[in-house]
Amino acid sequence: MGLLQLLVLCTLTACYVTLSPPAPVLSPSLLSRGCNDSDVLAFANFALQDINRDQKEGYVLRLNRVNDVWAQSQGDLGSLFYFTLDVLETDCHVLSKKAWKDCGARMFYDSVYGQCKALFFINKPKRVLYVPAYNCTLRPVSRRNIHHICPDCPRRSPVDSSDPNVLEAATESLAKYNRESPSKQYSLIKVTKASSYWAGSIGYSVEYLIKESPCTTSSDSSCSLQSSDSVPIALCKGSLSKTPFKKFVTATCDFFKSQVQAAEGQTSPVTQGPTSLPKVKGPQEENTSSPPKPAVPRGSVQHLPDLGDEKPEESEDKGPQEAFPVQLDLTTDPQGTTLDVSFLFIGPEEEKLVVLPFPGKEQRSAECPGPAGDANTLVFPP
């Protein structure tokens, strides 16, 4: 009797093993998140802070809104976020190392807006906050649209030395600053922004980078123009307008953090090693040691011209063009690829993230986009 029961049991077991489906293969997946969730906004802030810190040229970007966000669990390693951020330029130069929340917003007619896509990795237990990769695309707001809304608003001007009026405004403004400086003299490196306006006659507003000059107040004006590879120490803003009887000049300068600290005899973390910090301790803490280099390039900020400045024939030759072509595709494999982030951790273990293809516009989180800081439709990427 026992032998018969054993045979029946073996037969049932064999049938179960044969008929049971194979265990499903777990594939990585993305979790939709709300664009206005408090933790999402905090992570977006850290991501943009890391992107700004990585730049050597241009202006600090501020977050206008979270356009889209997805989260992906990495198990015990942490979480990876896929961010699409709508951004605006501030009035702070990236070399100032200021947080974007400490920078001023620009007037709508002077706005530069765009979009960033960024991967943001977080491991809370080890306090690792890092942007493995990002790409941003920016454009100035359309002059044509501004003219329809505000015909008398200032108009952007070329920032190269081909416009003598812009160069004159910068040199006159710096000359005024040097005259009022109690000791040091400064030289012009390059003009970074310029615009013209009407104030009884045409005037020019300029923003420009300067360096400390070996010149004295008695030196001639040719001493003021230095090569563009000089190290800037401040961003200055000024203007020049004229009447038949008088000239009006303004000048103010904002010296960068590293220069202020150096003057106080302190060591600035800005000048030590690369500016990209792979391990961010928090908004108030600084990593003063030179960090290891990441396994992949971080990314770039691309500046494109005003949409109205692009020639129609160029668009026809290339076919339909996306207004803000921001791509961040580390892989096209639906199962993803791995990204080594071992350099972020202490220890011999090899740590790798699984990175999926970046979600497209047709795959948007349900609670996105979030509310905008600046709701002007002129500064929303299409």
Side-chain angles (χ1 to χ4, degrees):
M1 191 70 175
L3 181 60
L4 180 60
Q5 287 178 338
L6 181 62
L7 289 173
V8 172
L9 180 62
C10 290
T11 302
L12 290 174
T13 303
C15 292
Y16 177 77
V17 172
T18 303
L19 298 175
S20 296
V25 177
L26 297 176
S27 59
S29 59
L30 297 178
L31 174 65
S32 174
R33 293 296 308 272
C35 281
N36 200 36
D37 292 353
S38 59
D39 60 336
V40 165
L41 292 174
F43 298 157
N45 174 43
F46 274 116
L48 194 55
Q49 177 177 300
D50 211 12
I51 292 171
N52 282 325
R53 187 185 293 113
D54 206 33
Q55 306 310 305
K56 304 293 190 300
E57 295 183 350
Y59 290 82
V60 171
L61 300 177
R62 71 180 177 96
L63 181 64
N64 193 29
R65 68 177 179 180
V66 178
N67 188 291
D68 197 23
V69 58
W70 295 81
Q72 177 193 1
S73 173
Q74 301 288 324
D76 294 338
L77 193 57
S79 297
L80 185 65
F81 287 79
Y82 297 71
F83 274 115
T84 301
L85 306 175
D86 290 348
V87 297
L88 292 165
E89 272 191 359
T90 67
D91 62 355
C92 296
H93 198 275
V94 293
L95 295 179
S96 70
K97 300 302 175 186
K98 290 184 178 180
W100 65 265
K101 290 185 177 180
D102 296 331
C103 297
R106 293 190 177 275
M107 297 297 293
F108 74 94
Y109 54 78
D110 194 32
S111 293
V112 174
Y113 69 113
Q115 201 164 80
C116 294
K117 289 186 177 180
L119 297 178
F120 178 73
F121 170 57
I122 177 169
N123 180 309
K124 287 185 178 180
K126 296 188 178 179
R127 301 184 67 192
V128 175
L129 305 169
Y130 182 61
V131 176
Y134 67 89
N135 273 320
C136 303
T137 298
L138 306 175
R139 288 187 188 272
V141 69
S142 168
R143 285 183 293 186
R144 184 180 305 157
N145 291 341
I146 292 172
H147 183 71
H148 288 318
I149 298 171
C150 179
D152 296 328
C153 282
R155 299 173 62 88
R156 287 189 305 275
S157 301
V159 295
D160 56 33
S161 57
S162 63
D163 189 335
N165 295 307
V166 169
L167 187 58
E168 180 188 16
T171 53
E172 288 277 2
S173 173
L174 182 55
K176 174 181 174 63
Y177 191 85
N178 279 332
R179 285 193 301 270
E180 297 173 354
S181 174
S183 56
K184 296 180 180 179
Q185 296 291 290
Y186 302 95
S187 303
L188 176 68
I189 295 178
K190 68 176 180 179
V191 179
T192 56
K193 279 187 179 291
S195 60
S196 60
Y197 59 92
W198 181 258
S201 62
I202 295 180
Y204 290 86
S205 295
V206 288
E207 297 182 17
Y208 52 94
L209 295 170
I210 62 169
K211 64 169 290 186
E212 192 170 332
S213 172
C215 305
T216 65
T217 53
S218 60
S219 301
D220 59 36
S221 59
S222 63
C223 185
S224 64
L225 186 60
Q226 301 293 326
S227 62
S228 59
D229 60 353
S230 301
V231 179
I233 64 169
L235 177 71
C236 298
K237 301 176 182 180
S239 64
L240 170 65
S241 61
K242 302 176 182 178
T243 69
F245 310 103
K246 194 172 182 180
K247 183 164 55 178
F248 299 91
V249 184
T250 65
T252 59
C253 293
D254 181 23
F255 285 82
F256 302 145
K257 181 179 178 182
S258 58
Q259 302 303 320
V260 173
Q261 290 184 343
E264 296 173 352
Q266 301 175 359
T267 302
S268 170
V270 173
T271 62
Q272 299 180 0
T275 57
S276 57
L277 302 183
K279 190 175 291 187
V280 180
K281 295 295 186 181
Q284 303 300 327
E285 300 178 72
E286 295 285 356
N287 185 345
T288 56
S289 61
S290 297
K293 293 182 179 179
V296 294
R298 299 290 299 280
S300 63
V301 177
Q302 176 184 209
H303 291 262
L304 298 181
D306 180 340
L307 282 169
D309 291 344
E310 294 186 337
K311 298 178 181 179
E313 58 268 22
E314 291 180 359
S315 300
E316 291 174 3
D317 293 340
K318 298 178 182 178
Q321 296 293 304
E322 188 177 357
F324 286 86
V326 191
Q327 303 299 327
L328 192 62
D329 295 322
L330 301 189
T331 180
T332 57
D333 186 348
Q335 297 300 310
T337 188
T338 57
L339 182 63
D340 189 352
V341 291
S342 304
F343 66 96
L344 293 171
F345 301 92
I346 299 173
E349 296 84 6
E350 193 175 62
E351 306 287 7
K352 292 186 177 181
L353 300 174
V354 176
V355 181
L356 298 176
F358 205 96
K361 290 184 176 180
E362 69 285 349
Q363 186 182 1
R364 181 183 290 277
S365 291
E367 299 178 37
C368 291
D374 186 342
N376 191 333
T377 56
L378 288 176
V379 296
F380 281 169

